[in-house]
Amino acid sequence: MTLLTEGGRYAPYILAAFAVSAVVFAGLIADTLLRARHWRREVERLTRRDSGPAA
Amino acid sequence: MGVRDPHSVFDFLANPERFMAFSRWAAPLLGLLAIALAAGGLTLGLTAPGDYQQSDTVQIMFIHVPAAWLGLFAYLCLGISSFLALVFRHVLADAAAKAAAPLGAAFTALALITGSLWGRPMWGAWWVWGDARLTSVLILFLFYLGYMALRGAIEDETKAGRAAAILALVGLINLPIVHYSVVWWNSLHQGASTFGAEPQNRLPAVYLIPLLLMGLCYMAAFGSLWLVRIRAEVWRRRARALALRASGA
């Protein structure tokens, strides 16, 4: 692994490419999971309200 | 007009309840598969020897090429889902199309950015205007942005879905252009080096194996995220229907 052990001359480009990929993946995963959780909870809340004591 | 087989995969998953039951276990399973494939692909890729021409920058290939593959594959999924939504008026297909667009845009953006980070040390330029492969991938990215902007711009969701589906189908014409751009025009971008490559251009196993592992990793990650985003869209529509019912509309 010459990149990490010898600090190759192309290291900034390689590290930047991996860092950008990691950030984009983290953003996609976070956005996807938060979106799913938000709408699942919203359905649960509305279902509870519909089947509440007043129903 | 023939009768559709009710036991086909499409008809099985077209039922929202069955889709929700299937995706509940399939999405985390694909996520775990993506993590395992990333561990294997990155271990082999980052310990691979430097290329005689590209030196260590060959390591960018392990994240750039799969991102480009997924940019194209996600658009194919978007196009097929849009076709099914437009022709069969299928709600789940429309949700699938809507969910695929941001993922495809992100993968295409990654392909453009990592390609630029590879191009600067290898070609001496961040970007080459007029290069057929680079330009056609940029157009692919713009189709994704256009699809999302059009969906967001029209208030009536049904009309928005149809208009965006037509745009998505028009954009399908760009997929073979992206793929064959390095064959049809002179391009700085190298030609095929994996599937369908000439024997002398084919990647050696030391690069090909980690590249294929990373390709499968990106595919599994896309599958997992796509399923979760479709689930979120199904819930969003249920929430909207519940809210409308509660308000007496």
Side-chain angles (χ1 to χ4, degrees):
Chain A
M1 199 183 310
T2 53
L3 171 69
L4 298 180
T5 55
E6 297 170 19
R9 60 192 276 229
Y10 301 123
Y13 300 102
I14 300 165
L15 292 174
F18 276 86
V20 169
S21 297
V23 167
V24 169
F25 263 101
L28 275 181
I29 292 166
D31 177 62
T32 302
L33 294 179
L34 289 174
R35 188 182 295 262
R37 191 175 70 167
H38 169 78
W39 288 114
R40 181 172 50 82
R41 286 185 174 175
E42 188 66 9
V43 168
E44 286 168 357
R45 187 183 68 79
L46 291 166
T47 308
R48 266 199 312 273
R49 193 181 67 180
D50 278 5
S51 58
Chain B
M1 193 79 162
V3 177
R4 289 221 311 267
D5 174 12
H7 303 294
S8 72
V9 174
F10 172 71
D11 282 334
F12 177 77
L13 292 178
N15 178 308
E17 293 308 321
R18 278 199 293 255
F19 170 80
M20 293 304 266
F22 161 78
S23 59
R24 189 173 183 181
W25 60 264
L29 193 68
L30 283 170
L32 289 173
L33 182 64
I35 293 169
L37 287 164
L42 287 174
T43 304
L44 290 177
L46 293 175
T47 52
D51 179 65
Y52 80 103
Q53 279 184 317
Q54 302 181 28
S55 185
D56 285 341
T57 61
V58 74
Q59 289 167 349
I60 295 177
M61 176 182 70
F62 303 124
I63 49 174
H64 166 70
V65 176
W69 284 343
L70 263 295
L72 290 169
F73 180 71
Y75 200 91
L76 189 63
C77 294
L78 171 62
I80 292 171
S81 302
S82 296
F83 175 78
L84 294 173
L86 205 58
V87 174
F88 298 109
R89 307 274 171 104
H90 206 287
V91 177
L92 203 56
D94 183 55
K98 187 179 178 186
L103 296 175
F107 282 115
T108 309
L110 267 184
L112 289 168
I113 295 167
T114 53
S116 185
L117 284 162
W118 180 88
R120 181 67 185 88
M122 290 297 106
W123 296 342
W126 297 103
W127 184 261
V128 181
W129 284 110
D131 183 275
R133 173 57 67 83
L134 273 61
T135 309
S136 57
V137 173
L138 179 63
I139 291 170
L140 176 68
F141 182 62
L142 294 176
F143 264 112
Y144 277 123
L145 294 187
Y147 178 89
M148 291 187 286
L150 191 55
R151 276 204 91 115
I154 302 172
E155 201 170 331
D156 183 322
E157 283 200 29
T158 309
K159 285 181 184 168
R162 283 188 204 147
I166 292 167
L167 178 67
L169 291 176
V170 171
L172 279 176
I173 202 166
N174 190 42
L175 296 191
I177 295 174
V178 172
H179 183 73
Y180 291 108
S181 55
V182 289
V183 178
W184 292 342
W185 294 283
N186 283 325
S187 174
L188 266 176
H189 198 284
Q190 58 264 54
S193 52
T194 50
F195 309 110
E198 299 289 328
Q200 67 272 19
N201 295 335
R202 205 165 290 160
L203 282 173
V206 70
Y207 298 138
L208 187 62
I209 292 170
L211 178 62
L212 293 181
L213 285 176
M214 290 303 287
L216 290 172
C217 160
Y218 274 47
M219 185 75 87
F222 169 74
S224 176
L225 292 170
W226 193 27
L227 289 178
V228 177
R229 291 184 91 93
I230 298 172
R231 287 171 68 82
E233 183 59 20
V234 170
W235 278 320
R236 189 188 70 79
R237 292 176 188 205
R238 277 185 193 166
R240 196 185 57 168
L242 285 168
L244 282 173
R245 200 170 62 187
S247 68

